[in-house]
Amino acid sequence: MALPWVKTLEDCADYSQVVEPYLPELYELPGKVVDAISNHDSLVELYKNTNPLVSGLGFSIFLGAIFLVVSEVNRNYSQVDRAWSLLPTIYNAHFAAWSHLNGLPSRRVDLVLFWSVIWSARLTFNYWRKGGYNIGSEDYRWEIIRGKVPPALFFIFNITFISFVQSVLLFLLAAPTYIILLASNHEREITAADIGFTAAELALILSEWFSDQQQWDYQTAKKEYQKTAKVPRGCRFTREDLDRGFITSGLWAYCRHPNFAAEQTIWMLLYQWSCYASKTFYNWAGLGVLFLLMIFQGSTWLTELITSGKYPEYKFYQKQVGAHIPSLSPYRTPTATPKVIRTSDLAKRQKPKQK
């Protein structure tokens, strides 16, 4: 049977009942796929008869191998980055499609897919406009790490973390939906709590849109300012803001990384949704969120290490404003700041050299 027979809602989150018995299918799955193709059997039937957690996990491992090969051939290690905004929603769509194909109650899973599609659309658009899908584009942090470790060690890092761990992580972020799928066999209809969780997810996605748009507006104005040494017309930022080098207004006045904070909360909330659906305080599906929090901690540390080295005032910003937990009061520029070279002055100095 592709799904476990569970008697209570609490059993829907019991690892020993809903995950462990199906792990052997993971090892058998590649052979079954090959047999189905060679014997012209229906892949749809194989898909329907395979536990959805196992088939999703197997696909994430397969993608990890693809990411590894493509990254090494192209010497570009942002392959997972390009798929980051899409894969969690693809896995949520996988759980929804599996439910529909097997004639199972799917309204609650469809609700998860609803906000997940909106999350993907927003994040994919933001990544696209920043040039993430341009040929040859790569996260600047990979280049920095690559320059500080031996090639052999970085290759091991690519095999383990960049390609496979991140790929599996993106599947684990959607793993709570599997528990909601199982719980839907006991509670079929959408509840007020489900609507509440969905509304909260949409609110977080909206906050990400605001924070990313504010960052985009600032960076666009700063680039224009660096080219012309003039504050762009109609720009809401002052010369002092643009000389600072980083944004400290809007949501960024209260949190150094409001987009990161919302992103982590989105997937933490989905995990809590699975806990609510299964009437448990915690369950195994929190593993993905835990890994995500760890990645964001490391990513934030490296990003801020680079930023504080470029902009002297950033250290004051760090002291006043929380990284992921918002501060109660907005950032205030210190009265006495270290002497900095204004970006407008840099632009003036570079013009004679270009001539």
Side-chain angles (χ1 to χ4, degrees):
M1 187 175 181
L3 276 187
W5 178 258
V6 289
K7 297 181 180 179
T8 66
L9 286 172
E10 290 82 357
D11 290 342
C12 295
D14 186 347
Y15 179 86
S16 64
Q17 294 189 54
V18 302
V19 179
E20 191 175 6
Y22 296 94
L23 290 180
E25 289 186 14
L26 183 63
Y27 308 106
E28 301 168 0
L29 187 58
K32 289 182 178 179
V33 172
V34 173
D35 289 341
I37 295 174
S38 60
N39 296 327
H40 304 288
D41 293 334
S42 173
L43 287 174
V44 175
E45 287 302 314
L46 176 61
Y47 176 76
K48 289 170 58 178
N49 295 324
T50 303
N51 179 275
L53 187 75
V54 169
S55 55
L57 178 58
F59 183 67
S60 71
I61 295 172
F62 171 74
L63 283 181
I66 299 297
F67 292 142
L68 175 63
V69 172
V70 174
S71 64
E72 288 297 328
V73 169
N74 293 288
R75 287 293 186 263
N76 185 308
Y77 300 90
S78 280
Q79 307 307 320
V80 179
D81 299 336
R82 292 182 174 87
W84 190 283
S85 64
L86 301 172
L87 285 177
T89 296
I90 289 174
Y91 293 124
N92 282 329
H94 153 64
F95 287 121
W98 194 91
S99 297
H100 283 280
L101 286 172
N102 283 282
L104 299 176
S106 60
R107 292 184 181 88
R108 301 172 82 186
V109 179
D110 290 341
L111 202 57
V112 173
L113 179 60
F114 168 69
W115 66 257
S116 187
V117 168
I118 297 174
W119 171 85
S120 277
R122 188 214 65 81
L123 188 56
T124 302
F125 168 73
N126 194 59
Y127 189 71
W128 165 79
R129 70 174 173 176
K130 292 195 297 185
Y133 294 110
N134 292 344
I135 297 176
S137 66
E138 183 183 43
D139 190 321
Y140 67 96
R141 289 168 294 190
W142 294 136
E143 183 178 356
I144 292 173
I145 295 174
R146 196 161 61 240
K148 292 183 179 296
V149 300
L153 184 60
F154 188 82
F155 176 67
I156 295 174
F157 181 63
N158 185 23
I159 293 176
T160 53
F161 175 75
I162 298 178
S163 296
F164 280 98
V165 171
Q166 287 194 117
S167 181
V168 174
L169 164 67
L170 292 172
F171 167 71
L172 290 177
L173 289 179
T177 308
Y178 174 63
I179 294 178
I180 296 173
L181 184 158
L182 294 173
S184 295
N185 291 313
H186 291 269
E187 293 186 352
R188 301 190 171 204
E189 299 301 323
I190 294 173
T191 66
D194 295 328
I195 299 296
F197 278 113
T198 302
E201 296 285 19
L202 292 174
L204 287 166
I205 294 170
L206 183 62
S207 77
E208 285 188 311
W209 184 85
F210 278 116
S211 60
D212 281 339
Q213 187 61 43
Q214 289 167 0
Q215 179 71 274
W216 176 261
D217 291 341
Y218 178 82
Q219 293 297 334
T220 302
K222 189 176 79 170
K223 288 179 181 178
E224 182 66 22
Y225 178 59
Q226 289 173 337
K227 291 179 181 178
T228 64
K230 295 179 181 179
V231 177
R233 183 175 298 179
C235 173
R236 64 185 179 86
F237 300 104
T238 65
R239 185 180 296 272
E240 181 185 19
D241 291 332
L242 299 176
D243 281 331
R244 184 183 296 113
F246 57 93
I247 185 172
T248 60
S249 58
L251 294 174
W252 303 81
Y254 297 89
C255 183
R256 301 203 303 270
H257 303 281
N259 48 354
F260 287 4
E263 186 67 18
Q264 294 170 87
T265 308
I266 283 171
W267 298 107
M268 193 179 301
L269 197 61
L270 178 60
Y271 163 62
Q272 289 299 321
W273 192 346
S274 76
C275 291
Y276 170 82
S278 60
K279 308 302 180 189
T280 57
F281 288 107
Y282 59 90
N283 60 61
W284 58 270
L287 188 62
V289 175
L290 179 61
F291 281 157
L292 183 70
L293 295 177
M294 292 170 63
I295 287 177
F296 267 103
Q297 289 301 313
S299 175
T300 301
W301 172 81
L302 179 58
T303 300
E304 295 205 328
L305 182 66
I306 298 168
T307 304
S308 60
K310 293 169 61 178
Y311 309 115
E313 192 180 328
Y314 198 80
K315 290 182 173 62
F316 291 90
Y317 183 53
Q318 288 176 304
K319 291 179 181 179
Q320 290 189 39
V321 180
H324 299 134
I325 299 176
S327 302
L328 296 177
S329 57
Y331 174 70
R332 294 180 180 178
T333 303
T335 53
T337 58
K339 184 179 180 180
V340 299
I341 300 176
R342 291 166 46 175
T343 52
S344 57
D345 293 335
L346 284 174
K348 292 177 181 177
R349 293 180 186 181
Q350 290 173 353
K351 284 183 179 179
K353 294 180 181 180
Q354 292 173 354
K355 292 179 179 180

